[in-house]
């Protein structure tokens, strides 16, 4: 059992950390509050190869795995720049296309993922069905050689920055008549696709949208994998990378909050010249949060290692646990940091309260803590399914 990164992974971590700190949390917040996007950071990360670390070398990527992409997500978040599009584009969409796309789709899309010039967002969640693909209302039907997509999606991240949306729809199997999921690459400027921005109480440069698909016409090659049989495996292919990279982003955010708080408490002096960090009432909550963040970090490492080894079932369990642990740890770390800083913790200047909304959302999305507990109860503890 080895907990050490390889020399190459260590170099990646150091390089991404340095990049993130050159931009920093003030850059992130400034973009969010002005309605802008972190385009400069994204483009530079792409040029340096950090966005394509998990893309095979034959398509222009770094040839690494999810472990490397999790490092990128964690270190940018630890620098105060948690980029949600790292989860939906390189982690979910690039993985789906790499593992289940046609060779033509790989050649067409993966080089853009590798250098960051292509952003593809992911659309599964619906107003009525949530993310339960068994009850999705978005339907794809054939019209000659084309497909027509109709339905609604909600809480879709970054549509205004992306060239494509990877849409999960339901199709009818001509042999059985049963509905089955299929994934389609839909251009964001396609006729019949409209969007409406959702106002969120989260400080983030990445926006959330409602999507409306009204008979969006797509060519046959928009179907991921070129076959309806590819739909279910393609859908599941994106779930473990999603959970693991979201967890890495949460742990990075927790590390950032604890660093901000400990820098402050080590130098802030109020009583008798001693730093407030010398008092256990301040130090112990921060130490507890640091322990929880490090425990979550270990589970992320385990989940990514299992995933990269091709042990998908075990990675699914570890990935869900990592996402749960990181969501709880990040929320605890940010809240504890705010408390340690007192009134300063609620200011924009000190850069911790700006993360409260994001870490609270991390306990809900992309899968809620309650559904993860259901998963663990059923698949680890052998309990009867409760839902």
């Amino acid at each position: 059992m080895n907990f050490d990164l390889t020399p190459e992974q260590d170099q990646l971590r150091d390089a991404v950390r340095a990049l993130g700190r050159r931009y920093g949390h003030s850059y992130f917040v400034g973009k969010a509050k002005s309605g802008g996007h972190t385009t400069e950071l994204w483009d530079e990360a792409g040029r340096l190869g950090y966005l394509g670390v998990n893309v095979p070398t034959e398509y222009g990527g770094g040839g690494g795995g999810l472990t490397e992409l999790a490092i990128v997500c964690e270190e940018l978040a630890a620098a105060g720049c948690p980029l949600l599009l790292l989860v939906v584009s390189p982690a979910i969409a690039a993985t789906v296309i790499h593992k289940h796309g046609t060779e033509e789709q790989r050649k067409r899309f993966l080089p853009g993922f590798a250098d960051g010039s292509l952003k593809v967002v992911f659309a599964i969640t619906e107003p009525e069905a949530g993310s339960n693909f068994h009850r999705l209302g978005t339907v794809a039907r054939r019209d000659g050689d084309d497909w027509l997509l109709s339905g609604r999606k909600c809480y879709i991240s970054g549509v205004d920055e992306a060239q494509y949306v990877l849409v999960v729809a339901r199709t009818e199997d001509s042999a059985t008549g049963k509905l089955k999921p299929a994934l389609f690459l839909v251009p964001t400027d396609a006729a019949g696709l409209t969007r409406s921005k959702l106002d969120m109480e989260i400080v983030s440069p990445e926006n959330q949208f409602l999507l409306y698909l009204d008979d969006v016409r797509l060519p046959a090659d928009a179907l991921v994998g070129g076959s309806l049989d590819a739909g279910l495996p393609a859908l599941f292919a994106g779930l473990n990378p999603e959970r693991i990279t979201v967890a890495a982003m949460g742990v990075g955010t927790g590390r950032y909050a604890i660093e901000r708080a400990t820098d402050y408490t080590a130098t802030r002096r109020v009583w008798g010249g001693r730093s407030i960090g010398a008092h256990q009432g301040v130090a112990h909550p921060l130490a507890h949060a640091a322990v929880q963040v490090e425990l979550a970090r270990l589970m992320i490492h385990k989940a990514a290692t299992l995933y990269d080894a091709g042990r998908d079932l075990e990675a699914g369990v570890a990935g869900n646990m990592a996402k749960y642990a990181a969501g709880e740890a990040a929320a605890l770390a940010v809240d504890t940091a705010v408390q340690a800083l007192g009134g300063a913790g609620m200011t924009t200047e000190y850069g911790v309260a700006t993360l409260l909304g994001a870490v609270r959302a991390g306990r809900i999305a992309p899968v809620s803590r309650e559904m993860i507990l259901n998963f663990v109860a059923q698949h680890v503890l052998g309990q009867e399914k409760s839902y």
Side-chain angles (χ1 to χ4, degrees):
M1 188 176 294
N2 185 1
F3 294 99
D4 293 328
L5 298 177
T6 67
E8 293 78 14
Q9 290 167 343
D10 267 328
Q11 291 171 9
L12 175 65
R13 184 181 292 280
D14 291 343
V16 175
R17 179 187 298 122
L19 173 66
R21 288 184 173 178
R22 279 203 289 108
Y23 285 86
H25 192 59
S26 59
Y27 164 82
F28 179 88
V29 172
K31 290 292 185 180
K33 293 195 171 184
S34 68
H37 300 302
T38 53
T39 306
E40 300 88 353
L41 173 55
W42 181 274
D43 289 347
E44 187 169 356
R47 287 194 302 272
L48 294 170
Y50 304 150
L51 304 181
V53 289
N54 61 320
V55 174
T57 55
E58 58 264 36
Y59 301 105
L66 193 58
T67 298
E68 285 75 17
L69 187 59
I71 288 171
V72 175
C73 292
E74 180 183 340
E75 290 306 321
L76 287 179
C81 300
L83 301 186
L84 183 58
L85 281 183
L86 278 169
V87 175
V88 293
S89 195
I92 300 176
T95 299
V96 167
I97 292 171
H98 168 219
K99 291 200 167 187
H100 296 283
T102 64
E103 183 56 27
E104 180 184 351
Q105 288 168 342
R106 294 188 189 104
K107 290 178 178 177
R108 180 180 175 189
F109 291 103
L110 289 179
F113 285 114
D115 64 15
S117 61
L118 177 69
K119 295 177 183 175
V120 178
V121 295
F122 184 60
I124 183 171
T125 308
E126 295 184 357
E128 300 300 325
S131 56
N132 180 0
F133 72 88
H134 295 290
R135 299 189 61 185
L136 294 180
T138 299
V139 174
R141 65 184 190 278
R142 289 191 184 275
D143 185 45
D145 291 334
D146 293 344
W147 290 94
L148 292 175
L149 267 64
S150 294
R152 293 185 300 162
K153 299 290 182 179
C154 61
Y155 303 118
I156 310 306
S157 307
V159 180
D160 55 336
E161 299 182 65
Q163 294 98 318
Y164 287 86
V165 184
L166 186 59
V167 175
V168 184
R170 303 291 298 281
T171 64
E172 185 175 271
D173 189 318
S174 57
T176 66
K178 293 182 179 179
L179 292 176
K180 58 196 303 185
L183 278 67
F184 294 87
L185 286 156
V186 181
T188 51
D189 61 356
L193 176 64
T194 56
R195 65 183 187 238
S196 175
K197 183 181 174 184
L198 286 163
D199 291 328
M200 306 291 290
E201 296 300 323
I202 298 174
V203 178
S204 172
E206 293 150 331
N207 298 312
Q208 301 291 315
F209 292 89
L210 289 165
L211 294 186
Y212 307 91
L213 299 100
D214 184 12
D215 279 347
V216 175
R217 183 173 294 275
L218 300 170
D221 63 4
L223 175 65
V224 172
S227 165
L228 294 180
D229 292 334
L232 193 59
L235 175 58
F236 282 127
L239 297 183
N240 286 340
E242 175 190 54
R243 282 150 174 68
I244 293 169
T245 50
V246 163
M249 192 168 65
V251 159
T253 301
R255 285 174 50 204
Y256 166 83
I258 291 168
E259 181 179 347
R260 295 290 290 173
T262 53
D263 286 349
Y264 179 86
T265 56
T267 56
R268 173 72 167 164
R269 285 173 168 77
V270 179
W271 302 289
R274 301 175 68 190
S275 70
I276 62 172
H279 298 272
Q280 293 176 354
V282 175
H284 282 187
L286 286 171
H288 173 65
V291 169
Q292 300 309 306
V293 167
E294 187 61 22
L295 290 173
R297 202 177 184 197
L298 286 171
M299 184 54 77
I300 292 164
H301 181 68
K302 177 180 179 179
T305 299
L306 289 169
Y307 181 87
D308 288 339
R311 295 160 64 178
D312 289 345
L313 290 177
E314 294 164 280
V317 173
N320 273 291
M321 289 183 172
K323 194 273 170 186
Y324 180 98
E328 299 299 301
L332 174 67
V334 173
D335 184 68
T336 303
V338 169
Q339 191 69 23
L341 269 69
M346 294 304 297
T347 66
T348 302
E349 176 188 357
Y350 281 87
V352 254
T354 44
L355 294 165
L356 282 168
V359 294
R360 187 61 186 84
R363 300 175 74 206
I364 301 169
V367 58
S368 71
R369 63 192 298 276
E370 289 76 19
M371 286 306 296
I372 292 177
L373 293 175
N374 282 334
F375 176 91
V376 172
Q378 181 183 348
H379 295 283
V380 179
L381 305 182
Q383 300 303 299
E384 185 178 354
K385 188 174 181 179
S386 62
Y387 58 97

